[in-house]
Amino acid sequence: MRAVIIGTGPAGITAAETLRREDPSGSVVALSTEPYAPYSPAAMADHFLTGRDDTLYWKGQNVAELRGIDERRESVVIGLDVDNREVVLHDDSRIPFEGLIIASGSKLNAPLEGADLPGIFDFKSLRMADELIGRVKRGEARSALIVGNGFIGVELSLLLADLGVDVTIIGRRPWIMPRVLDTLTAAVAQRGLIERGVKLHLGVEAEAFVGSPNVNSVRLNDGQLLEADLIVAATGVKPHIEFLHDSPIVTDWGIHVDDTLQTSETGIFASGDVAEARDWLTGERFVHAIFPNAVAQGEIAASNLLGANLKYDGAEAMNSLKHLGIPIVAMGTIDQPDDVLRWESGSALRSIYLRAGTIIGAQLAGDIRAAGVYRSLMLRRADVSCFGRGLVEPGFDIGNVIWDALAAS
Ligand SMILES: Cc1cc2nc3c(=O)[nH]c(=O)nc-3n(C[C@H](O)[C@H](O)[C@H](O)COP(=O)(O)OP(=O)(O)OC[C@H]3O[C@@H](n4cnc5c(N)ncnc54)[C@H](O)[C@@H]3O)c2cc1C
């Protein structure tokens, strides 16, 4: 098959490799907007901190050459001609396809006044991250304001603090990563951030980016104006779908896909942060923008483009803070539990969210060794009521005791 893939992020490059493996006589063109080899955004902080390239270019910088993928960088798709089965590029050239996978990922979503002014940084792409960290490393920036207290804002704050920047996070909700962490787990993370020198300005609303010719401050809704050398937007992400505006492909927040990850058009699939796939727990369409979902979806979309007809089990929610010094993992949901079990000792905290005897979410801080066990029980929808409070206590994760108990229950 002559296939085109929009994107060489974790979803796109996985799809490209899968196509080459499963259809060696076909051809694959893989497009990206940036000048870099396929990379993992999740490894950017580590890359800038350590200088390591191997996790950033997680497939190797020569993956395209090695696998026979026609990788084309700085090739921006601006439209899709579904009737003629062609992708339209920024220079008006066209690439014909028999099968298409859209893996264009997500971009910054900054619904704030002044968000389109020059001088605002983000940490969503390697190109932007390179510019931002370049300014710090050249000594041009000693202070930073990060607007947004979600995962990316927190990761970036730790990186900047380690690089000697005086960094403040501004967040609307009074605790960090409010969509992912409950207040108790967030409190553990916040203590860690403060110890690392990150300042938290939470429970305040950033209203506008301000400054001319370049943005140099943020106005809060109480009128305060906060200034810094670097102003960073980490206000959330949204799927990269603007090039689909004239196409018949059905979109909402992201691209609608069915259980095989096919879009509303036959032979056109979507995967990764751009796809609204089913949530494994609720069955509703949702974008869980994380690396493992992107990789799994890229593989399935490619196999299904070749006719495999595999069903995608559903996207899961899972986040871990890697650079805090205190390991923290959050998985599943904390919405509408009918019971919550907690165990705390020193800086270790476990919270298990239950509904109808099954785990719907888990948050672990300090000691995350049981994360794999909880995840496995959650994904199996196992009835864990037989464990009672023992479910959160230390030692729960030891060996086959769990599986024996489950088998007997
Ligand atoms: C700072 C940061 C830290 C993260 N940390 C973690 C983590 O610890 N764990 C985790 O699970 N997840 C993490 N994530 C999320 C994870 O990186 C994403 O879920 C994953 O990258 C999604 O992969 P993707 O291929 O769908 O999209 P992306 O990685 O966004 O790739 C999109 C690709 O599409 C291309 N593209 C976009 N538009 C066009 C166009 N018009 N024409 C041509 N090409 C186009 C882009 O150039 C790019 O190649 C992190 C993300 C960031 C930004």
Side-chain angles (χ1 to χ4, degrees):
M1 172 178 292
R2 194 165 51 176
V4 171
I5 300 175
I6 304 175
T8 62
I13 194 63
T14 303
E17 278 195 309
T18 308
L19 285 170
R20 293 298 297 134
R21 190 176 61 244
E22 295 183 4
D23 180 27
S25 60
S27 68
V28 178
V29 175
L31 308 165
S32 77
T33 54
E34 292 184 87
Y36 312 102
Y39 67 89
S40 165
M44 289 194 306
D46 184 55
H47 163 74
F48 287 112
L49 206 53
T50 64
R52 282 175 56 188
D53 272 348
D54 54 335
T55 48
L56 183 68
Y57 300 111
W58 61 301
K59 293 285 183 183
Q61 296 213 41
N62 59 348
V63 57
E65 194 188 340
L66 215 60
R67 305 275 178 248
I69 299 162
D70 180 358
E71 185 212 350
R72 302 187 194 172
R73 300 177 191 169
E74 298 185 289
S75 296
V76 183
V77 176
I78 58 163
L80 212 55
D81 183 344
V82 169
D83 291 339
N84 291 312
R85 298 193 90 68
E86 287 175 335
V87 160
V88 185
L89 296 186
H90 61 289
D91 58 2
D92 279 338
S93 62
R94 290 171 171 247
I95 307 175
F97 63 83
E98 289 166 343
L100 177 70
I101 296 177
I102 305 170
S104 47
S106 54
K107 61 179 185 178
L108 173 71
N109 182 28
L112 247 75
E113 190 188 318
D116 50 356
L117 294 174
I120 301 171
F121 289 90
D122 67 65
F123 201 61
K124 188 59 194 81
S125 65
L126 185 53
R127 196 197 303 251
M128 190 53 108
D130 244 342
E131 243 182 82
L132 192 166
I133 303 302
R135 282 205 60 191
V136 172
K137 289 192 169 168
R138 288 191 301 274
E140 295 165 13
R142 296 187 184 285
S143 61
L145 274 177
I146 299 177
V147 181
N149 56 354
F151 178 80
I152 293 178
V154 168
E155 280 273 294
L156 177 61
S157 74
L158 289 165
L159 169 64
L160 291 176
D162 281 355
L163 294 174
V165 177
D166 176 5
V167 55
T168 303
I169 293 179
I170 300 172
R172 184 170 36 199
R173 303 285 290 278
W175 71 97
I176 63 153
M177 294 172 62
R179 286 158 51 111
V180 174
L181 299 182
D182 61 25
T183 49
L184 293 178
T185 314
V188 177
Q190 286 169 206
R191 282 198 294 274
L193 282 166
I194 291 165
E195 270 167 31
R196 294 275 293 278
V198 176
K199 293 177 186 141
L200 299 175
H201 201 31
L202 304 177
V204 294
E205 176 110 31
E207 199 175 57
F209 295 107
V210 184
S212 174
N214 287 318
V215 166
N216 59 7
S217 45
V218 174
R219 192 177 69 232
L220 305 183
N221 69 348
D222 63 3
Q224 264 191 87
L225 202 62
L226 307 178
E227 280 185 34
D229 299 338
L230 280 175
I231 304 294
V232 186
T235 38
V237 298
K238 66 176 176 192
H240 235 144
I241 52 172
E242 59 288 342
F243 56 90
L244 295 175
H245 58 92
D246 275 341
S247 87
I249 290 179
V250 176
T251 61
D252 186 1
W253 179 248
I255 300 174
H256 278 199
V257 288
D258 65 16
D259 289 343
T260 67
L261 303 182
Q262 185 161 241
T263 68
S264 54
E265 294 296 310
T266 307
I268 301 182
F269 289 73
S271 57
D273 285 8
V274 79
E276 261 187 60
R278 299 231 176 263
D279 175 288
W280 76 271
L281 180 67
T282 64
E284 284 166 17
R285 282 203 184 86
F286 198 80
V287 181
H288 286 301
I290 60 169
F291 179 93
N293 290 338
V295 170
Q297 291 176 19
E299 190 162 355
I300 289 178
S303 296
N304 286 346
L305 181 59
L306 297 172
N309 202 26
L310 304 174
K311 188 168 178 289
Y312 179 56
D313 283 342
E316 57 175 307
M318 172 94 146
N319 279 275
S320 63
L321 277 172
K322 297 183 290 287
H323 301 108
L324 188 63
I326 309 162
I328 292 187
V329 171
M331 64 186 85
T333 180
I334 53 178
D335 278 349
Q336 299 174 354
D338 55 28
D339 198 8
V340 182
L341 299 177
R342 280 217 168 78
W343 173 85
E344 191 169 8
S345 169
S347 64
L349 174 67
R350 287 181 181 186
S351 307
I352 309 295
Y353 286 73
L354 300 160
R355 200 185 291 157
T358 64
I359 299 175
I360 56 164
Q363 311 232 329
L364 310 179
D367 177 357
I368 60 167
R369 281 173 297 178
V373 176
Y374 292 129
R375 176 171 175 266
S376 171
L377 292 170
M378 183 176 77
L379 294 181
R380 287 160 47 124
R381 295 183 165 85
D383 185 341
V384 291
S385 28
C386 57
F387 298 114
R389 266 210 60 80
L391 190 67
V392 273
E393 280 168 4
F396 170 73
D397 47 323
I398 297 173
N400 295 326
V401 177
I402 302 158
W403 308 115
D404 294 346
L406 278 175
S409 69

